[in-house]
Amino acid sequence: MVKSMTGYGKAVASLETGQLTVEIRTLNGKNAEISIKSGLLPKDKELGIRQKIANNLYRGTIDVFLTWDPNASETARLINLELAKAYSIQINTLAKELGCWPIPSSGSQDLLSNILRLPDVVDSQRQDVITEDNWPIVDAAFDAALEAVNKYRSDEGKVLYDDVTSRIRNILELEDEVESYEQQRIDAVREKLMKNLQEVSLSPDKERFEQEIIYYLEKLDINEEKVRLRQNCHYFLDTIDGEEFPGKKLGFIIQEIGREINTTGSKANHALIQKAVVRMKDELEKMREQSMNIL
């Protein structure tokens, strides 16, 4: 089943000191472009996680976010109380020397807030959030997030599949319409040539005239384009149904379909065929946009 490259997955690892949230967001991309936007993941685990993500998601622009929400007791331990007291004593001493003592009660809250912002009062380093002991829990959260992403991608893929295959069938129907105008086109070409000859008062040899008609129509013949267009459309349907990750190949097939449609248009020389070609181009452009997101 076709998958989209757009996806989202989230999972939570409940650790002794708090909760670690793993979020994975994906968009379309040529290869697996993985970006881990967090310093929480230990360096010795990063390579394995990248490989796990690449194996599961295969391709796309992939952003990984880790968010740490510590328990209340853990948050309290992050404050260096002794250092905060030392800063407070120094500030009070300075206030006395500058004649600003006592500090108004209205400014106590601001003073406390400013002390917490001073260097090393609050330990923001959390390298020990993920340890060897809790790694299996964190690793399982990555697995759960990846599973959620793949489900999202599968759901989106069903929508993409229905859309692009319906447009391929529309192109095939329009090609049948083009074929139905073939006799009209031949008659129109013949009538136009006869009219031009009559305007200059010429009476051509009938046999020679037919030869010229055949020669002219051969230049405008679109039979090969019709055959190749149909073949490529069926190849598209076979590929999207038969391959696990058909996205890149579908892009190449769409290019070939576009080439045949353009050549048909350049040879059309018939208003109704031109209209059908324009509609085919519209369907193809919408397919192209959608297929860029197919895995």
Side-chain angles (χ1 to χ4, degrees), residues 15 30 34-35 44 62 66 72 79 83 98 106 115 118 159 170 177-178 196 233 235 251 275 284 293:
L15 309 179
K30 291 184 177 180
I34 303 169
S35 176
D44 62 326
I62 304 162
L66 299 180
I79 300 175
L83 184 59
L98 296 176
S106 59
I115 289 174
L118 292 172
V159 177
N170 289 343
E177 185 178 325
V178 166
N196 290 340
C233 285
Y235 186 30
K275 288 182 180 179
L284 189 70
N293 208 28

Side-chain angles (χ1 to χ4, degrees), residues 35-207:
S35 176
I36 299 176
K37 300 180 181 297
S38 172
L40 294 172
L41 188 66
K43 292 297 181 183
D44 62 326
K45 302 298 183 183
E46 184 172 331
L47 182 61
I49 286 297
R50 286 182 177 275
Q51 191 62 51
K52 182 197 289 280
I53 292 171
N55 291 341
N56 274 271
L57 302 183
Y58 182 65
R59 190 160 67 96
T61 301
I62 304 162
D63 292 328
V64 181
F65 302 88
L66 299 180
T67 306
W68 175 239
D69 184 20
N71 295 333
S73 58
E74 180 67 12
T75 304
R77 287 203 299 272
L78 293 175
I79 300 175
N80 189 328
L81 295 178
E82 294 301 320
L83 184 59
K85 289 177 182 177
Y87 276 129
S88 178
I89 292 170
Q90 293 180 61
I91 291 170
N92 286 326
T93 300
L94 179 62
K96 289 177 181 178
E97 292 183 1
L98 296 176
C100 302
W101 183 262
I103 296 174
S105 58
S106 59
S108 299
Q109 187 66 34
D110 291 337
L111 175 62
L112 177 60
S113 177
N114 289 329
I115 289 174
L116 291 175
R117 292 193 185 97
L118 292 172
D120 300 324
V121 172
V122 177
D123 183 7
S124 60
Q125 296 183 359
R126 297 168 180 167
Q127 292 91 340
D128 59 344
V129 166
I130 299 174
T131 65
E132 284 298 330
D133 290 338
N134 64 28
W135 176 247
I137 301 173
V138 176
D139 194 36
F142 272 100
D143 289 337
L146 288 168
E147 184 178 351
V149 172
N150 275 318
K151 184 180 184 306
Y152 192 109
R153 283 180 155 194
S154 294
D155 293 342
E156 287 285 311
K158 292 175 183 176
V159 177
L160 287 175
Y161 177 88
D162 291 341
D163 185 81
V164 296
T165 54
S166 68
R167 296 190 187 283
I168 276 287
R169 294 188 177 91
N170 289 343
I171 290 174
L172 285 169
E173 289 177 5
L174 287 166
E175 185 59 33
D176 291 339
E177 185 178 325
V178 166
E179 192 169 28
S180 72
Y181 299 135
E182 279 290 278
Q183 189 58 49
Q184 289 183 30
R185 186 173 71 134
I186 293 172
D187 294 341
V189 168
R190 184 187 300 274
E191 183 180 344
K192 182 178 179 181
L193 288 175
M194 282 297 296
K195 184 178 180 181
N196 290 340
L197 289 171
Q198 289 171 359
E199 287 178 355
V200 294
S201 302
L202 290 177
S203 299
D205 178 75
K206 185 176 181 181
E207 185 175 341

